[in-house]
Amino acid sequence: MKATWNGATIAQSDDTVVVEGNHYFPAGSVNPEYLRPSTTHTTCPWKGEASYHTLHVNGQDNPDAAWYYPTPKDAARQIAGRVAFWKGVTISAD
């Protein structure tokens, strides 16, 4: 699977985990040059607290378009160390 935004490949992996329709990519498959820290956090009752990154590609920002669970609850342990995307990020087969 491949995650693209604004003409760039943000992440690419054959090992994604799908939860609630979202592909979670291994953190090591995400290109760190496109990630900027965000102070945004949200809480899911069964996954735990999510943290976010803003995507920065070709001079444009996509605020909070990537998220991950630093310490997911047991019910969501399969997404530990993984990152998902939204807000216009295209997820497609390689």
Side-chain angles (χ1 to χ4, degrees), residues 35-51:
L35 301 180
R36 300 291 183 268
S38 169
T39 58
T40 300
H41 297 279
T42 59
T43 301
C44 171
W46 71 274
K47 289 182 288 214
E49 184 179 70
S51 296

Side-chain angles (χ1 to χ4, degrees), residues 14 23 35-36 49 51-52 67-68 82 86 94:
D14 292 331
H23 284 267
L35 301 180
R36 300 291 183 268
E49 184 179 70
S51 296
Y52 291 78
W67 79 91
Y68 64 100
R82 294 178 176 270
W86 65 326
D94 291 320

Side-chain angles (χ1 to χ4, degrees), residues 1-3 11-16 25-26 29 82 94:
M1 299 302 294
K2 182 171 20 177
Q12 190 166 4
S13 177
D14 292 331
D15 175 30
T16 64
F25 290 77
S29 72
R82 294 178 176 270
D94 291 320

